[in-house]
Amino acid sequence: MSKRGYHHGNLRQALVEAALDLITEKGPTGFTMAEAAKRAEVSAAAPYRHFSGRDDLIAEIATQGFELFADVLDFAYNGGKPSPLASFEAVGRAYLAFARKYPGHYVAMFESGVSPGQTPELSRASERANKVLTRAADALSARIPADRRPPSAMFAAHITAMSHGIVELYTRGKPGGRAPFTPEELLEAGIGIYLRGLGLIERD
């Protein structure tokens, strides 16, 4: 990222891009605003024209991440086609793909300590992504008798927790990340076990 972007009025996004690199390298608390400014090749005071501090900058990154995340999940869901089960599994794979392709955004969204309610924009973006997951869970669980059907939000939260655990242990190269199976295989098996428990697919 060069000063040219700043001169063209793109300082805000230049700082976002610089911070994304730093988050990927050092984690969400491993850099300062001064380092982000240096990476963007602007003065140490320049970031404060757009952000009150590091948390504000990370909140913007998380907002952009959730918007992108929602787009990725919605594309994978494909309106529930060709079937609720196939589209639900596609959403799970898209979760892993997003974490792998956009690590800086993912960390800002889920591991920075920034609350989804920190800003109205972040809250809306987070809710939009959650709605895709909830809609997919709702469509899939519609075949379960109402008295045995888990709330869609809980259903989605279970799959999200499973996906996040697989990302942490097997996708991002952390200790314990080696396994004889791919993250996709682990998630597919986990979703299968979960859905069999609900009676949504037949037992092997």
Side-chain angles (χ1 to χ4, degrees):
M1 191 63 63
S2 68
K3 291 182 180 180
R4 182 175 59 182
Y6 166 54
H7 288 314
H8 285 191
N10 295 325
L11 173 59
R12 185 180 180 88
Q13 192 58 33
L15 290 164
V16 166
E17 297 296 331
L20 278 168
D21 289 341
L22 289 166
I23 288 171
T24 302
E25 294 169 13
K26 301 183 176 185
T29 61
F31 72 97
T32 64
M33 288 291 278
E35 286 179 288
K38 183 177 180 180
R39 184 70 62 97
E41 298 185 14
V42 296
S43 72
Y48 295 97
R49 299 174 187 175
H50 294 278
F51 303 103
S52 61
R54 186 177 61 191
D55 284 353
D56 193 27
L57 174 56
I58 292 174
E60 173 61 22
I61 293 170
T63 300
Q64 293 185 17
F66 273 114
E67 291 288 1
L68 182 58
F69 190 45
D71 288 342
V72 168
L73 296 183
D74 195 47
F75 181 83
Y77 183 59
N78 191 33
K81 300 174 183 176
S83 70
L85 176 58
S87 59
F88 188 84
E89 291 175 338
V91 168
R93 290 191 295 272
Y95 191 110
L96 300 185
F98 177 86
R100 185 180 289 116
K101 187 170 183 179
Y102 302 102
H105 286 97
Y106 188 89
V107 170
M109 292 156 62
F110 297 114
E111 300 172 21
S112 66
V114 170
S115 168
Q118 179 160 320
T119 68
E121 295 79 13
L122 177 53
S123 180
R124 284 193 295 269
S126 174
E127 182 61 24
R128 180 172 164 242
N130 287 335
K131 282 182 177 179
V132 178
L133 292 163
T134 303
R135 186 167 70 247
D138 192 45
L140 186 56
S141 62
R143 292 176 288 170
I144 303 174
D147 62 338
R148 295 196 299 110
R149 185 185 308 160
S152 297
M154 180 183 289
F155 190 153
H158 287 159
I159 300 303
T160 297
M162 187 187 308
S163 301
H164 187 73
I166 289 172
V167 167
E168 288 301 297
L169 293 172
Y170 302 108
T171 302
R172 296 181 47 213
K174 291 190 173 183
R178 295 182 179 179
F181 312 102
T182 67
E184 288 75 15
E185 288 171 335
L186 289 168
L187 183 60
E188 181 180 354
I191 289 176
I193 292 167
Y194 184 83
L195 298 183
R196 286 186 183 91
L198 293 174
L200 283 168
I201 58 177
E202 294 183 3
R203 296 180 182 274
D204 292 336

